[in-house]
Amino acid sequence: MAPKGTVKPYPQFNATEDANALRAAMKGLGTDEDAILTLLTARANDQRQKIAAQYKSLFGKDLVDDLKSELGGKFERVIIGLMVPPVLYDVQELRHALKGAGTDEKVLIEILASRTSSQIKEVIAAYKQEYDADLEEAVAGDTGGHFQRMLVVLLQASRQKGVDESCIQQDAQDLFAAGEQKWGTDEEKFITILGNRSAEHLRRVFDEYMKISGYEIEESIEKETSGSTKDLFLAVVKCARSVPAYFAESLYNAMKGGGTDDNTLIRIMVSRSEVDMLDIRDNFRRLFATSLYSMIKCKHSCHVASLVMYLVTIRNPFSTSVEMMNNVAE
């Protein structure tokens, strides 16, 4: 299946021309941020890596370092994020979540609940290479209880393939017995089933659970668990149902109310732009009756909103800004 991202490879890509254009945008007095924005958001990540390599060959300078020295604020964070290979971006986000004052559990939940088994294995290997450290040990050392145990299970990246018809009813019954049907909650049963079954299998289990209990599985998790464990269980369930819908809801929650969770907004925009941003955008409108771009525009300056415009709409390399604005507002 073709990726349903909004950022796609540029068909007339030329790394030398792009490197020269970026150098010109940063030379002299002032920085042409619009030129940087327009160019880098119209290139796929692997093309950006080739531009960075060519930039160093031509000018003897590191492109990312130059971008950091010329840009600032949220604009810089998005542009630098776009320059990082996807797996390494996940690795860096996890590292930041585990280091410093406190643990950013939201990042651990988002990344480990939404990535496939193969992606998690790539992240584990890249984390080891980048930091000479074991990701599972780092996660286990900074978390505890059932939350920790669920994360460790997800880090095993051992989900079954396909649907096991013989286990659907039993899994649904086990979840019911572990929650709604008993005093207290047997979180271990939830961890085992939610952490090891495939998304396809879990969707069938959730349907059967509804027949047995009269509740959606999310309702039972809300009632029977709490704190970070509840948030992680819910994220796994939502991702099993639809990863794009999960990210659409995450974006909405990051922007609703008086403030904005910029870290979540930037992380999702960067990490999903080439993966499923078109599906996220469609789910956002379906769930919240407004466009993703319209909500971001209400929350941010024109400069940041323009940057986001380039990440939430499918780019025609030759389209005008007005045509793009009409597209993204649909």
Side-chain angles (χ1 to χ4, degrees):
M1 182 181 297
K4 291 192 176 181
T6 48
V7 175
K8 300 180 183 296
Y10 189 71
Q12 298 176 333
F13 176 65
N14 185 306
T16 299
E17 290 181 1
D18 287 351
N20 280 309
L22 289 171
R23 181 65 177 158
M26 291 185 281
K27 280 184 67 176
L29 294 176
T31 300
D32 189 346
E33 294 184 344
D34 288 337
I36 294 171
L37 163 66
T38 302
L39 193 153
L40 291 179
T41 56
R43 305 298 186 268
N45 191 276
D46 65 330
Q47 292 177 330
R48 297 183 202 120
Q49 305 314 311
K50 293 173 183 175
I51 295 169
Q54 188 67 4
Y55 190 93
K56 183 167 286 188
S57 295
L58 291 172
F59 309 114
K61 303 186 73 177
D62 186 271
L63 175 57
V64 171
D65 288 345
D66 278 1
L67 289 168
K68 286 179 179 178
S69 70
E70 296 291 332
L71 307 176
K74 299 170 190 174
F75 186 83
E76 176 194 342
R77 290 171 60 192
V78 177
I79 292 296
I80 298 305
L82 291 173
M83 291 301 304
V84 179
V87 173
L88 186 55
Y89 186 77
D90 279 353
V91 165
Q92 292 177 352
E93 289 297 301
L94 288 169
R95 181 73 168 183
H96 294 155
L98 292 165
K99 295 299 177 182
T103 302
D104 192 339
E105 296 175 345
K106 182 183 294 186
V107 175
L108 302 183
I109 292 170
E110 178 191 302
I111 293 177
L112 296 182
S114 65
R115 301 320 190 243
T116 65
S117 292
S118 61
Q119 288 170 335
I120 288 176
K121 289 175 181 177
E122 290 177 356
V123 166
I124 291 170
Y127 192 94
K128 179 70 173 177
Q129 181 176 359
E130 188 74 8
Y131 302 113
D132 192 24
D134 185 88
L135 179 56
E136 182 180 324
E137 290 179 3
V139 168
D142 266 37
T143 58
H146 292 107
F147 179 64
Q148 176 204 76
R149 291 162 71 179
M150 183 65 182
L151 290 173
V152 169
V153 167
L154 293 175
L155 283 166
Q156 303 317 297
S158 57
R159 288 193 182 278
Q160 68 179 39
K161 304 242 186 238
V163 177
D164 185 345
E165 297 285 349
S166 66
C167 291
I168 292 173
Q169 189 166 11
Q170 187 61 56
D171 283 349
Q173 186 60 55
D174 286 346
L175 289 173
F176 182 54
E180 294 284 353
Q181 206 173 36
K182 75 187 297 282
W183 180 258
T185 305
D186 180 2
E187 285 90 349
E188 286 188 9
K189 188 62 67 175
F190 278 82
I191 290 170
T192 298
I193 295 173
L194 294 180
N196 288 285
R197 307 296 192 261
S198 70
E200 299 93 333
H201 183 94
L202 286 174
R203 289 194 291 271
R204 295 281 298 280
V205 171
F206 300 157
D207 290 342
E208 189 65 26
Y209 183 89
M210 179 66 179
K211 295 175 186 176
I212 294 172
S213 68
Y215 297 103
E216 295 286 3
I217 187 69
E218 293 92 335
E219 295 178 88
S220 295
I221 290 172
E222 288 276 5
K223 290 190 297 181
E224 299 292 332
T225 61
S226 61
S228 297
T229 301
K230 178 188 74 173
D231 294 339
L232 180 53
F233 285 174
L234 286 172
V236 171
V237 168
K238 290 173 182 179
C239 287
R241 292 193 187 277
S242 169
V243 171
Y246 166 74
F247 280 115
E249 184 179 354
S250 296
L251 286 169
Y252 180 81
N253 289 336
M255 293 183 285
K256 71 179 183 181
T260 301
D261 180 355
D262 288 322
N263 291 334
T264 295
L265 176 64
I266 291 171
R267 189 172 55 251
I268 295 175
M269 298 305 301
V270 169
S271 65
R272 310 310 293 188
S273 59
E274 289 186 50
V275 181
D276 52 6
M277 185 54 68
L278 183 59
D279 290 332
I280 291 170
R281 193 183 78 176
D282 292 345
N283 275 274
F284 194 96
R285 177 170 285 284
R286 176 180 63 83
L287 292 169
F288 307 112
T290 187
S291 74
L292 175 57
Y293 174 70
S294 295
M295 191 165 186
I296 292 172
K297 187 178 180 182
C298 289
K299 291 284 185 175
H300 289 87
S301 66
C302 291
H303 200 175
V304 174
S306 295
L307 192 160
V308 171
M309 175 186 75
Y310 284 91
L311 294 177
V312 301
T313 185
I314 296 178
R315 296 285 300 276
N316 176 337
F318 310 106
S319 63
T320 67
S321 295
V322 172
E323 289 170 338
M324 289 178 62
M325 191 75 75
N326 290 337
N327 183 359
V328 79
E330 291 177 353

